[in-house]
Amino acid sequence: MGEREHRSRRDFIRAAAATAGAAAAFGGLDLRMAAQAAEAVGRSEKPLKAAFSNAGLQATWCAQGKQAAEYWGKLFNVEITWFDGELAAPKQRTAIDNMASQKWDFVAIQAFGIGTLTQPVQKMIDAGIPVIDMDTLIAPLDQINIHSFLAPDNEFMGSAVTQALCTAIKGEGTIIMTQGALGHTGAQGRARGFESVVKQFPKIEVLNTDPADWDVSKTARLWETHLTKYPKISAAFFHNDDMALAAYNVMKARNRTDILIGGVDAMPPAIQAVADGRMFATVRNPSCRIHGGAVIAGVAAVTAGEKSGEGIPKSVVTDGPVVTKSNAAGMQWMQDHFLI
């Protein structure tokens, strides 16, 4: 491979990690992007076998990611086998133990919690299987030699939505943060972002920061308690949109829809909720880019021998905009036209 061709593929992988999977996520086909990807990385001549796992397909973010990965798998001649994490660390560990007992061309994993999958993942790395880490750390990067780590800036996402909420309540009142799973490094980053903002507003009181583990049923039970205990809640920040919308249903049933709600992910139902006023804000956590980018990185590693940290960046930060009522229509338009 010539240096120019190598550089072209490397540069495309960087860009693709930030844009992959939009067509799969929103029900259409971006032919130009697909053609560019196929030309730069190259469709595998022989079928490849890949294993994927994310935290749990009950979460809409994870379900969207699966759809994106499978779309890009078909494009690049990759047969993907899914190992559902079921939103429970012990269940995902069992699934990944099963994954590690088999042979794969590459694997991609979003861990439910940091450190919960280290042993079986290390077994696959030792067997020479490229491992792509998605969204949350499997283990600290200096402790495990994963091939590439594709993730959003979780601290930015947490701070951006919290800032929007604090500004909207004019820097005074009360706020609650409902966290995801505490062992999830994405949730940890979102919490740091939240805390970095609220400490700048001494007139805002944080009432509660209990986790709901991405579980909508647990969120509903938690918020039944919050609404009983706290007569005045000005705003609420949720670590994902599913939890935010589950809490909104409880608020609506209790006639407490004056609470400003912020979430994370900017999934289509949440964007609609922002547009019609049920939610105040969300931020795009690009599931389709992360899962689609993992397919591209895996194919490049196998078919072109791209090395971690060289042809394939060791760490790729995927970005996404904050969505409020002022730009929700534009965000929906971009989704409809496969631009994100």
Side-chain angles (χ1 to χ4, degrees):
M1 180 192 308
E3 174 59 27
R4 184 174 181 179
E5 181 182 354
H6 175 87
R7 185 168 59 248
S8 175
R9 179 180 288 120
R10 179 195 62 207
D11 292 344
F12 182 81
I13 290 170
R14 292 178 185 272
T19 57
F26 305 115
L29 175 62
D30 186 337
L31 292 173
R32 183 177 62 178
M33 187 169 65
Q36 290 173 340
E39 180 180 359
V41 177
R43 175 183 171 88
S44 176
E45 293 183 2
K46 69 171 186 175
L48 299 180
K49 291 180 62 179
F52 273 64
S53 177
N54 56 25
L57 296 176
Q58 303 100 305
T60 55
W61 188 91
C62 293
Q64 185 185 74
K66 180 175 184 288
Q67 184 184 9
E70 290 173 344
Y71 169 82
W72 283 85
K74 290 178 181 177
L75 180 66
F76 285 97
N77 200 16
V78 179
E79 178 187 347
I80 293 176
T81 301
W82 209 269
F83 293 80
D84 188 7
E86 299 186 64
L87 295 184
K91 291 181 178 179
Q92 189 180 40
R93 174 56 185 264
T94 298
I96 302 306
D97 282 336
N98 181 17
M99 180 192 291
S101 70
Q102 303 175 54
K103 175 63 179 175
W104 308 99
D105 291 299
F106 68 92
V107 305
I109 298 170
Q110 177 209 22
F112 185 77
I114 188 170
T116 59
L117 306 174
T118 306
Q119 185 176 2
V121 168
Q122 187 62 56
K123 179 180 178 181
M124 289 186 280
I125 292 172
D126 291 343
I129 300 171
V131 176
I132 315 301
D133 192 347
M134 303 186 296
D135 182 61
T136 188
L137 289 172
I138 295 170
L141 293 179
D142 61 353
Q143 296 180 21
I144 192 167
N145 190 28
I146 54 94
H147 206 69
S148 188
F149 177 45
L150 288 79
D153 185 338
N154 284 286
E155 194 162 336
F156 160 76
M157 293 195 299
S159 64
V161 174
T162 304
Q163 181 67 56
L165 291 170
C166 291
T167 300
I169 63 175
K170 303 185 187 309
E172 297 185 23
T174 58
I175 191 169
I176 288 176
M177 172 172 62
T178 299
Q179 302 192 62
L182 296 182
H184 184 285
T185 59
Q188 293 167 7
R190 292 167 209 185
R192 288 194 301 271
F194 171 85
E195 291 160 0
S196 71
V197 171
V198 294
K199 71 181 182 181
Q200 301 174 32
F201 294 91
K203 294 183 179 180
I204 295 179
E205 178 185 3
V206 179
L207 299 175
N208 186 279
T209 61
D210 287 347
D213 301 331
W214 318 116
D215 187 318
V216 294
S217 297
K218 186 172 182 179
T219 301
R221 293 192 299 270
L222 185 62
W223 271 84
E224 288 283 2
T225 300
H226 289 341
L227 294 177
T228 299
K229 184 175 181 179
Y230 304 113
K232 175 59 179 176
I233 304 170
S234 307
F237 169 55
F238 297 84
H239 282 192
N240 78 356
D241 293 332
D242 290 353
M243 294 191 298
L245 291 172
Y248 172 81
N249 289 336
V250 178
M251 296 173 194
K252 183 179 180 181
R254 299 280 292 271
N255 196 28
R256 295 283 297 276
T257 55
D258 59 327
I259 302 169
L260 295 186
I261 298 173
V264 172
D265 288 341
M267 301 299 293
I271 292 176
Q272 184 57 51
V274 170
D276 64 29
R278 286 173 291 139
M279 288 179 61
F280 180 75
T282 185
V283 60
R284 179 59 178 158
N285 178 12
S287 174
C288 53
R289 301 173 189 174
I290 291 169
H291 288 77
V295 172
I296 293 171
V299 170
V302 175
T303 64
E306 296 283 11
K307 303 298 184 182
S308 177
E310 297 176 8
I312 298 174
K314 190 71 172 182
S315 181
V316 179
V317 177
T318 56
D319 59 359
V322 175
V323 182
T324 63
K325 197 163 189 175
S326 65
N327 67 345
M331 179 62 64
Q332 187 61 58
W333 185 90
M334 287 196 292
Q335 288 186 359
D336 292 341
H337 291 77
F338 328 130
L339 298 179
I340 63 170

